Amino acid sequence: MAYSTKTDAKWQKKWEETGLYRFDPKRTDKKLYCLEMFSYPSGANLHVGHWYNYGLTDSWARLKRMQGWNVFHPQGFDAFGLPAENYAIKTGIHPKDSTYKNIETMEEQLKKMGATFDWDYEVITCDPEYYKWTQWIFLKLYEHGLAYRKKAPVNWCPSCKTVLANEQVVDGACERCKNDVTKKDLTQWFYKITDYAQELLDCLPKLDWPEKTKKIQQNWIGRSEGAELVFEGADGSFSFKVFTTRADTLYGVTYVVLAPENELVDRITTSECKAAVEQYRETTKKQTEIERLSTAREKTGVFTGAYAVNPANGEKVPVWVADYVLAGYGTGCVMAVPAHDERDYEFATKYKLPIKRVIKGEEGVDDTLPFVDDGILTESCEFSGIGSAEARRNIVLKLEKQGKGELKVNYRLRDWLVSRQRYWGAPIPVIHCEECGAVPVPEKDLPVELPYNVEFTPDGESPLAKCEEYINAPCPKCGRPAKRDPDTLDTFVCSSWYFLRYPDNRNAEKAFDTEWIDKMLPVDKYVGGAEHAAMHLLYARFFTKALRDMGYLHFDEPFLSLVHQGTILGPDGNRMSKSRGNTISPDEYISENGSDVFRMYLAFGFAYTDGGPWSDDGIKAISRFVGRIERLVEKATALNAAQGAGVNGSAEKELNHVRNVAIKGVTEDAERFQFNTSIARLMELVNALYKYESGSQMNNALFIDTINDLLKLLAPFAPHLSEELWEQMRGSYSIFDQQWPKWDEKALVLDETEIVIQLNGKIKDKIMVPSGLDKAQTEEAVMKDPKVTGLLEGYTVVKVVAVPGRLVNIVVRQ
RNA sequence: GCGGAUGUGGCGGAAUUGGCAGACGCGCUGGAUUUAGGUUCCAGUGGGCGACCGUGCAGGUUCAAGUCCUGUCAUCCGCACCA
């Protein structure tokens, strides 16, 4: 019977019945935690991306298993989120109902993939048993000062009366009603990830992660060294700090700028300027972040009427408000040095503010303004004549003595806003009491369960706020009537610790057992999309470090080794999308060819981390390859296995050579997620077996033995097929309990090696020499070869470069 | 605008520390099997008649460059004035 979905079903059943992939909790010494980023349970079937991520990582896990590792390979669902809630608003189907239904479908599909997932350890983030502990972590963070409340602007659609996610704002307008979106300040919960900014940066070099991902995180954290300087109001009624990396340009400050959102603006704006400033602030609110931060746009701003004093020289400079200054970065105030900053230069030119040079270029350097490089100070009192680098330090040190400045490291990273004005998420376990303020829900009362009966229609309030039986609760401290926090947690919170829950998913007493997860973690291999390079991966690292500092675990990093799969594009080379009509549905291909053919095509047709365009022709090639293997097994099972032994003649040696090259190649390539070349080595082995089989004499034992190795090497990539053929070869169940083949170094070396002969770097000929010659021997063998002496006639040899086993380059002169 | 990545036959893609460019496969060509088509099996296949030329383009380093250096172009992806 040829391989088909029937084969898939047969073995999936047997694997399940025998519990083949069950993790053995007793063998933690050889544990290997292999994890793919879990998925959102959408209503649709598994798409090619799921297969590419899960199918091939599963192949890697199978390889590791056969190498003797006790692989922990769990799976679960990131089940809270916006799509289910939007779906509910549209159709009236409750998010809980649709989500659990989708999970059921998806589980079924994932099982059909034939992966080694151990479903006993499944985690679903919208289960109260899970989010109970998401809430518990919130309480712990709060207890340790890592969760706090502050005001922050949200996108607000005045017409829908609802808060919008960035992706729901299209060109400054509400996605649904097309009205202008503005900003609204709400008091919201934050996690203090900035406390860990430095450590998150410091630990990056040690991680076995793609360099570009580390770079993204490094940029996201954005450490910059500079200084905080104090500017006082000219009338002495106020003061504020600015952050600058260019303290050396302090004497060139001709104005200062506050972010429009800065609270100081209200206090300092003079009555004559009030109207203009207010109007400017309103316009700013309507800008989307993209518009506001666009470089193409002309800079705008207004004068507040107030003046501040330059702490270095006592000069009076005007205070402006402009939206090119961001409230969330640094102090939200900037000292403007138009002569030495492009943005300030542009702004000053437009509003006719003075421009004062305080830095000269070194000898011969073009220092036309704006001159933003380091140079020599000028017009800067006692600092004139010294270099920028030195001045940056000295100027701050001088101000420090007067209490007007200090050296300071600033990070671009902002605290993580976790409040969402949504229903379908983990409720924030806090009760707001008029007397006692924000009171955390006591641990014993967790989980704060999400009520089922709520009104989703957006009307300006969090859906939970309108649910009377939910929102009203007695204050845990004083017992008086109070109200629950109406918001839910960002779904990134749920996914920031699921890998900690997997190994201990049934624990009803704790989020996880410390001793146990210290054994099970860190995750040894984490595989998922590059789009999570900044946020998810940073948040998960932060959670790990925070929980470590609270003593709940004792490792520093959650994911030791990380791989990003590439993207499979449509056949036209574009990103797959319904609107383009270029989507590929795995289901049709699988029912026609079987899941292993589909998986192997994904393995063979692409460089794993690059991805690329889909091709139907590629899948046919794999189908053919499977047929070739089946016919080999058919031949082998008809043979008398007792005939023949060892590796003797040259044909046998050649087959054995290819076999060992394949073992080495597959072992090393699959290890580093280079599945395409792994399959190529298997194809070579199959070709060699055909060639051997067509020869005049056959050593049955060698042939059969080689086929057995072939099947083992194939097993990770085509698990059902290999298990089936292994059974036909009368191997004992299961092939996945067999030992991974080891290669024989001796068999990798042929008797003779081909050496390339180059003359002045150009290839002229090739000769065979005995293998294993060293440099001098290679040179000798080549130089006395008649072919070479012939080549050299009429030339003078200048130099000979010999590379053993590869080539000899002879440098000659006429 | 800034940052990152990529660029190799007709196509997908291979090439340890710089050491035979194009592994493996698709496609194509030819042959065998077959009544025929398909399937299967075998062989050939970067370009050029050739000396030679070929890894986006132009330089450079080296006995030797797809690989290292400088510049440049194109495509894709992130981030958005970071003071």
Side-chain angles (χ1 to χ4, degrees):
Chain A
M1 186 183 79
Y3 168 73
S4 71
T5 47
K6 285 193 184 133
T7 321
D8 293 347
K10 168 181 169 185
W11 290 105
Q12 280 163 24
K13 185 159 170 265
K14 173 110 184 199
W15 291 335
E16 183 155 0
E17 283 165 5
T18 55
L20 189 65
Y21 304 126
R22 228 170 258 153
F23 176 69
D24 179 358
K26 288 191 244 15
R27 283 174 55 224
T28 46
D29 55 318
K30 283 289 269 181
K31 79 87 193 174
L32 186 134
Y33 191 165
C34 174
L35 183 67
E36 297 97 327
M37 291 178 185
F38 63 173
S39 48
Y40 181 80
S42 74
N45 287 346
L46 292 193
H47 54 72
V48 181
H50 286 121
W51 269 88
Y52 197 52
N53 184 191
Y54 297 154
L56 296 185
T57 306
D58 179 64
S59 292
W60 186 86
R62 286 176 183 274
L63 164 76
K64 289 287 144 191
R65 178 202 166 97
M66 291 176 78
Q67 287 177 337
W69 295 96
N70 181 23
V71 177
F72 182 58
H73 193 199
Q75 186 58 263
F77 296 95
D78 190 13
F80 274 135
L82 205 49
E85 193 163 339
N86 286 340
Y87 185 71
I89 292 168
K90 220 160 86 187
T91 66
I93 298 173
H94 195 281
K96 187 174 176 182
D97 301 337
S98 64
T99 301
Y100 278 96
K101 187 164 175 294
N102 290 347
I103 287 176
E104 207 176 304
T105 319
M106 224 156 149
E107 277 169 352
E108 207 172 291
Q109 289 226 316
L110 282 165
K111 283 174 185 166
K112 278 201 186 139
M113 192 156 89
T116 55
F117 302 129
D118 186 341
W119 290 97
D120 288 350
Y121 293 90
E122 184 179 18
V123 154
I124 296 172
T125 59
C126 67
D127 277 348
E129 296 79 49
Y130 182 83
Y131 69 69
K132 171 177 180 179
W133 302 109
T134 306
Q135 293 171 339
W136 174 82
I137 293 171
F138 177 98
L139 296 181
K140 290 295 139 188
L141 290 170
Y142 179 76
E143 223 170 81
H144 288 81
L146 292 169
Y148 67 97
R149 292 216 303 170
K150 70 173 176 190
K151 280 198 168 178
V154 292
N155 296 315
W156 178 256
C157 174
S159 141
C160 298
K161 291 192 191 139
T162 185
V163 175
L164 300 176
N166 278 339
E167 64 171 17
Q168 295 176 302
V169 184
V170 182
D171 295 328
C174 171
E175 177 186 57
R176 258 184 230 131
C177 69
K178 313 292 177 215
N179 282 300
D180 276 1
V181 173
T182 183
K183 293 270 168 8
K184 190 175 161 181
D185 261 348
L186 291 180
T187 303
Q188 308 188 74
W189 286 97
F190 285 80
Y191 283 166
K192 215 170 173 191
I193 189 172
T194 51
D195 269 14
Y196 286 87
Q198 191 60 48
E199 196 195 331
L200 288 167
L201 201 56
D202 291 341
C203 289
L204 279 175
K206 289 181 289 199
L207 297 175
D208 174 31
W209 285 20
E211 285 308 316
K212 73 168 182 193
T213 308
K214 295 198 213 177
K215 189 101 195 168
I216 289 170
Q217 293 221 340
Q218 203 182 319
N219 293 341
W220 193 271
I221 295 167
R223 179 191 156 99
S224 76
E225 288 181 25
E228 250 178 31
L229 309 177
V230 179
F231 279 68
E232 272 168 31
D235 61 2
S237 73
F238 64 94
S239 80
F240 57 91
K241 287 178 180 171
V242 303
F243 176 76
T244 177
T245 54
R246 292 300 302 273
D248 54 317
T249 64
L250 181 56
Y251 288 86
V253 171
T254 55
Y255 64 105
V256 294
V257 192
L258 305 184
E261 297 89 340
N262 196 307
E263 288 180 4
L264 208 55
V265 174
D266 275 336
R267 279 176 40 208
I268 65 170
T269 304
T270 58
S271 48
E272 306 86 77
C273 296
K274 203 119 219 160
V277 168
E278 270 319 305
Q279 202 199 340
Y280 185 72
R281 292 178 97 182
E282 280 309 309
T283 339
T284 304
K285 273 194 198 170
K286 284 211 178 135
Q287 316 275 347
T288 65
E289 229 161 290
I290 307 255
E291 276 173 345
R292 176 166 165 186
L293 301 176
S294 162
T295 27
R297 195 172 128 263
E298 203 177 310
K299 297 204 179 345
T300 57
V302 284
F303 180 43
T304 60
Y307 289 85
V309 175
N310 183 331
N313 56 13
E315 225 170 79
K316 227 173 91 172
V317 291
V319 181
W320 283 64
V321 169
D323 63 6
Y324 78 91
V325 173
L326 305 176
Y329 184 76
T331 58
C333 315
V334 172
M335 61 179 224
V337 188
H340 306 293
D341 182 285
E342 308 215 1
R343 292 155 300 175
D344 299 343
Y345 186 85
E346 195 192 318
F347 192 83
T349 312
K350 180 174 172 189
Y351 291 104
K352 308 219 163 38
L353 292 157
I355 296 169
K356 181 184 168 198
R357 175 194 289 276
V358 290
I359 308 283
K360 289 184 302 193
E362 305 253 4
E363 199 60 37
V365 172
D366 175 17
D367 61 2
T368 323
L369 297 184
F371 175 63
V372 299
D373 295 335
D374 277 7
I376 309 293
L377 272 71
T378 179
E379 309 277 326
S380 300
C381 299
E382 72 262 39
F383 302 102
S384 297
I386 67 171
S388 287
E390 198 186 341
R392 272 198 284 275
R393 245 186 95 72
N394 292 352
I395 290 178
V396 178
L397 288 178
K398 180 186 166 192
L399 292 179
E400 197 164 17
K401 282 181 198 136
Q402 306 161 19
K404 287 184 179 168
E406 56 177 339
L407 292 171
K408 173 107 187 188
V409 175
N410 192 50
Y411 299 90
R412 178 188 177 273
L413 183 70
R414 293 181 220 161
D415 277 338
W416 173 15
L417 196 166
V418 295
S419 298
R420 295 290 181 273
Q421 294 71 42
R422 306 273 168 201
Y423 165 71
W424 193 232
I428 293 176
V430 169
I431 292 170
H432 299 282
C433 169
E434 279 183 18
E435 295 297 318
C436 314
V439 182
V441 171
E443 261 178 70
K444 65 172 174 56
D445 295 339
L446 296 184
V448 175
E449 275 205 55
L450 206 51
Y452 187 85
N453 291 315
V454 289
E455 183 56 53
F456 302 114
T457 328
D459 63 355
E461 271 191 293
S462 287
L464 289 178
K466 292 169 289 184
C467 177
E468 292 298 326
E469 78 224 46
Y470 175 82
I471 204 74
N472 295 308
C475 169
K477 238 186 209 167
C478 68
R480 264 184 277 245
K483 290 203 184 296
R484 291 189 186 277
D485 197 297
D487 292 349
T488 51
L489 291 167
D490 177 12
T491 53
F492 272 120
V493 176
C494 307
S495 59
S496 292
W497 74 281
Y498 73 110
F499 48 91
L500 301 173
R501 181 69 177 172
Y502 271 136
D504 207 7
N505 67 331
R506 308 275 171 93
N507 197 328
E509 308 299 316
K510 313 183 230 183
F512 46 77
D513 181 75
T514 300
E515 204 184 319
W516 177 237
I517 67 154
D518 278 351
K519 279 187 192 146
M520 292 298 292
L521 278 110
V523 171
D524 295 285
K525 187 67 81 178
Y526 195 34
V527 185
E531 66 274 18
H532 293 297
M535 308 221 273
H536 163 62
L537 288 167
L538 208 54
Y539 295 152
R541 294 180 64 213
F542 159 60
F543 261 44
T544 303
K545 290 171 191 301
L547 289 165
R548 174 204 60 196
D549 288 346
M550 297 173 198
Y552 293 109
L553 49 84
H554 301 93
F555 44 91
D556 300 319
E557 287 287 337
F559 315 121
L560 294 182
S561 181
L562 174 74
V563 175
H564 296 306
Q565 81 273 17
T567 312
I568 307 297
L569 306 170
D572 57 358
N574 290 305
R575 206 168 264 280
M576 284 190 201
S577 72
K578 277 186 202 141
S579 56
R580 274 208 189 86
N582 63 349
T583 51
I584 294 294
S585 156
D587 296 23
E588 302 158 30
Y589 291 90
I590 289 160
S591 57
E592 191 174 332
N593 304 286
S595 74
D596 287 355
V597 169
F598 191 76
R599 187 197 292 223
M600 256 199 289
Y601 167 60
L602 292 177
F604 181 64
F606 311 87
Y608 188 66
T609 52
D610 293 352
W614 176 268
S615 143
D616 277 357
D617 290 340
I619 213 153
K620 279 184 222 143
I622 296 293
S623 200
R624 195 172 307 172
F625 175 56
V626 166
R628 275 169 77 78
I629 298 169
E630 286 177 323
R631 284 187 290 279
L632 276 180
V633 170
E634 209 173 300
K635 280 172 186 156
T637 49
L639 293 173
N640 171 14
Q643 184 271 319
V647 180
N648 306 301
S650 68
E652 295 181 17
K653 275 193 181 165
E654 195 186 319
L655 174 63
N656 198 45
H657 175 254
V658 178
R659 170 204 200 173
N660 280 280
V661 167
I663 296 173
K664 185 173 199 271
V666 175
T667 307
E668 293 177 350
D669 291 351
E671 163 74 38
R672 51 194 169 110
F673 281 72
Q674 209 171 305
F675 304 116
N676 52 351
T677 50
S678 303
I679 304 288
R681 297 292 89 76
L682 292 176
M683 287 173 167
E684 283 167 355
L685 180 54
V686 167
N687 290 345
L689 279 159
Y690 268 86
K691 191 175 171 194
Y692 179 71
E693 194 263 341
S694 69
S696 52
Q697 295 221 316
M698 192 153 80
N699 172 343
N700 288 355
L702 175 66
F703 186 69
I704 289 170
D705 202 34
T706 305
I707 286 178
N708 281 332
D709 269 358
L710 168 69
L711 293 181
K712 289 183 209 165
L713 296 177
L714 179 71
F717 312 103
H720 309 87
L721 170 72
S722 309
E723 190 82 281
E724 175 68 26
L725 297 179
W726 179 251
E727 185 183 59
Q728 287 174 23
M729 290 292 286
R730 293 181 275 283
S732 64
Y733 178 78
S734 154
I735 190 169
F736 297 102
D737 286 335
Q738 307 306 311
Q739 216 184 44
W740 187 252
K742 289 194 171 64
W743 70 87
D744 174 8
E745 285 290 341
K746 288 199 291 285
L748 295 176
V749 185
L750 295 168
D751 294 343
E752 286 195 304
T753 308
E754 191 181 59
I755 297 289
V756 169
I757 312 299
Q758 295 184 336
L759 230 56
N760 290 344
K762 294 211 188 309
I763 296 155
K764 293 294 172 185
D765 214 329
K766 295 167 186 182
I767 64 166
M768 298 304 292
V769 303
S771 295
L773 299 188
D774 65 16
K775 201 171 165 183
Q777 289 167 326
T778 306
E779 181 175 337
E780 198 196 332
V782 166
M783 295 310 278
K784 75 181 181 200
D785 190 281
K787 278 189 190 171
V788 176
T789 46
L791 271 176
L792 291 176
E793 250 168 66
Y795 292 106
T796 316
V797 175
V798 180
K799 186 179 175 184
V800 179
V801 182
V803 181
R806 295 211 182 260
L807 59 76
V808 172
N809 185 13
I810 307 165
V811 186
V812 295
R813 239 188 353 239
Q814 201 83 45

